[in-house]
Amino acid sequence: MTSAASGIGPGGRTGGRSGAGAGKTRTRTRQVPDREATAIKLLDASVKHSFDPRVDVAWDEPWLPDTFFLPERLSTLYGTDLWERLSRSHRIELTRCELANNLAFGIWVETLFMQMLARHSLGYHPRSNHLRYALTELGDETRHSTMFSLMLDKLDRGPYPFNPLDRFATDLLRAFSTEPLAYVAVLFVEEMFDALQRYGLKDDTVQPLCRQTFRIHVVEEARHMRFARDELFRLIPRLPRVRREGLAAAVAVGVGLVSRSMRTPQMYADAGLDVREAMRAARSNREGRAVLQECIDRFTPVYDELGLITPASRALWRAQGWRV
Ligand SMILES: [Fe+2]
Ligand SMILES: [Fe+2]
């Protein structure tokens, strides 16, 4: 079994401090450029590095035989007794269904993000670069979700429904989220999927076509994370403490939602597994938990720096078995 040390993170690009200040709540410590300066930089980068998935992905290439669709370690069952009993071809089929599951969830959350971003963009000045970049990001996300949809066809698997309660929670988020909550939610989900896709694109046991789509997504998402991060460093310090506590709790709860989205019953049924056994194995899979913990370790330094890892939220994280 691969150990967590082979891992995904923590990423050094955020520059925050990990796990520091337990028991304390810190507010803004970072100076960021003003809104227009960030937007101009990101608009410039968008001109240089943007992709059209309909022409920049080799959709006509056939799948390579005997090749995984996700790195083995990212399978929800990797490291379990059930995984050990599966043949290599069955493991490959499982990763095919798991990728389809992740992409369908990706379309769901990106469409949700687009709605939130469009709603908040109504308040941005029509002649500002901040609005122009928000609209550019909306364009990126429409192309990403189109790419995920095309990949679902290519995989010929999925989509698989996820937990109705979690679906209801995201419905509330898209309809009622405040601007800081929208950016908080967008940023940590993007950070988690970015970590997983960076891991996947480096793995040459994975289908080249899958890695190509991971690469496109990683390049464009780097801009989205910068936009959300800078905006949060401007917005959060102005919020009263009670609202910061609410945001901190939302992140802790949201991580559980992302984790549950990765194991859906229909996905295991499609992969030819006993659903109850597979769900039980995935829920208690220590290796799967270690992978997600590495994703969490990448983004919590910034949330800590923003003052969004509080004593109360830390208790929530810990209650779910996460280390922050
Ligand atoms: Fe995206
Ligand atoms: Fe994004």
Side-chain angles (χ1 to χ4, degrees):
M1 187 191 304
T2 313
S3 78
S6 64
I8 294 172
R13 64 198 155 67
T14 52
R17 281 199 298 137
S18 177
K24 290 184 193 161
T25 304
R26 284 184 282 124
T27 51
R28 178 179 180 172
T29 58
R30 189 189 299 199
Q31 294 297 317
V32 292
D34 67 33
R35 276 181 153 187
E36 286 299 275
T38 297
I40 288 168
K41 199 167 173 170
L42 295 175
L43 281 165
D44 195 38
S46 304
V47 170
K48 290 178 187 146
H49 303 289
S50 287
F51 302 88
D52 181 344
R54 285 164 303 176
V55 295
D56 293 323
V57 177
W59 296 112
D60 293 336
E61 291 286 315
W63 292 122
L64 296 182
D66 196 36
T67 307
F68 285 92
F69 292 82
L70 284 174
E72 288 181 83
R73 185 167 179 252
L74 297 192
S75 170
T76 53
L77 295 180
Y78 180 79
T80 64
D81 291 343
L82 177 54
W83 176 266
E84 296 305 320
R85 297 203 306 273
L86 299 180
S87 64
R88 179 176 167 89
S89 63
H90 204 164
R91 291 175 181 176
I92 290 173
E93 174 58 26
L94 173 61
T95 62
R96 185 171 182 153
C97 296
E98 289 179 317
L99 177 59
N101 182 67
N102 294 348
L103 293 173
F105 182 70
I107 293 173
W108 176 269
V109 289
E110 288 204 332
T111 307
L112 179 98
F113 294 167
M114 286 187 258
Q115 290 182 32
M116 294 194 293
L117 191 55
R119 188 155 51 82
H120 294 299
S121 295
L122 286 170
Y124 301 160
H125 195 287
R127 290 177 63 178
S128 66
N129 287 296
H130 190 68
L131 174 72
R132 290 172 201 138
Y133 181 74
L135 296 174
T136 302
E137 182 166 319
L138 278 166
D140 290 351
E141 297 293 26
T142 58
R143 293 195 310 281
H144 295 168
S145 286
T146 302
M147 177 167 75
F148 298 163
S149 170
L150 290 168
M151 182 58 100
L152 284 174
D153 264 2
K154 179 79 182 171
L155 289 165
D156 198 21
R157 299 289 184 278
Y160 309 117
F162 65 100
N163 183 325
L165 269 180
D166 287 338
R167 203 174 162 121
F168 179 63
T170 59
D171 276 338
L172 291 179
L173 182 71
R174 71 181 159 148
F176 301 113
S177 63
T178 58
E179 196 174 19
L181 177 59
Y183 283 115
V184 160
V186 166
L187 182 58
F188 91 82
V189 175
E190 286 179 340
E191 288 274 12
M192 288 186 82
F193 283 100
D194 180 71
L196 296 171
Q197 291 187 328
R198 278 175 193 272
Y199 190 69
L201 69 85
K202 288 184 221 146
D203 187 335
D204 57 15
T205 68
V206 173
Q207 296 279 353
L209 191 59
C210 299
R211 290 161 62 201
Q212 200 177 1
T213 62
F214 298 160
R215 190 169 298 112
I216 287 175
H217 201 238
V218 161
V219 168
E220 298 195 335
E221 286 296 327
R223 299 194 290 265
H224 304 179
M225 289 187 279
R226 168 76 190 274
F227 187 64
R229 213 159 32 229
D230 281 10
E231 191 61 6
L232 285 172
F233 274 101
R234 296 180 201 110
L235 293 173
I236 301 273
R238 294 193 226 135
L239 298 178
R241 182 167 177 184
V242 64
R243 285 191 63 192
R244 270 192 288 120
E245 285 289 353
L247 293 174
V251 184
V253 171
V255 167
L257 187 152
V258 172
S259 151
R260 286 189 294 279
S261 78
M262 292 177 173
R263 36 174 207 263
T264 57
Q266 190 58 40
M267 173 186 87
Y268 293 122
D270 240 27
L273 294 166
D274 179 275
V275 172
R276 279 185 156 193
E277 184 187 13
M279 288 292 285
R280 204 179 315 117
R283 255 188 241 115
S284 57
N285 183 8
R286 288 161 72 173
E287 184 63 23
R289 194 157 262 276
V291 166
L292 287 183
Q293 182 66 56
E294 287 168 37
C295 296
I296 290 167
D297 290 345
R298 279 173 59 95
F299 72 81
T300 43
V302 166
Y303 280 81
D304 191 20
E305 199 180 338
L306 283 162
L308 296 180
I309 307 287
T310 66
S313 81
R314 206 180 284 276
L316 261 178
W317 284 93
R318 287 186 179 149
Q320 299 172 87
W322 303 115
R323 198 178 58 243
V324 291

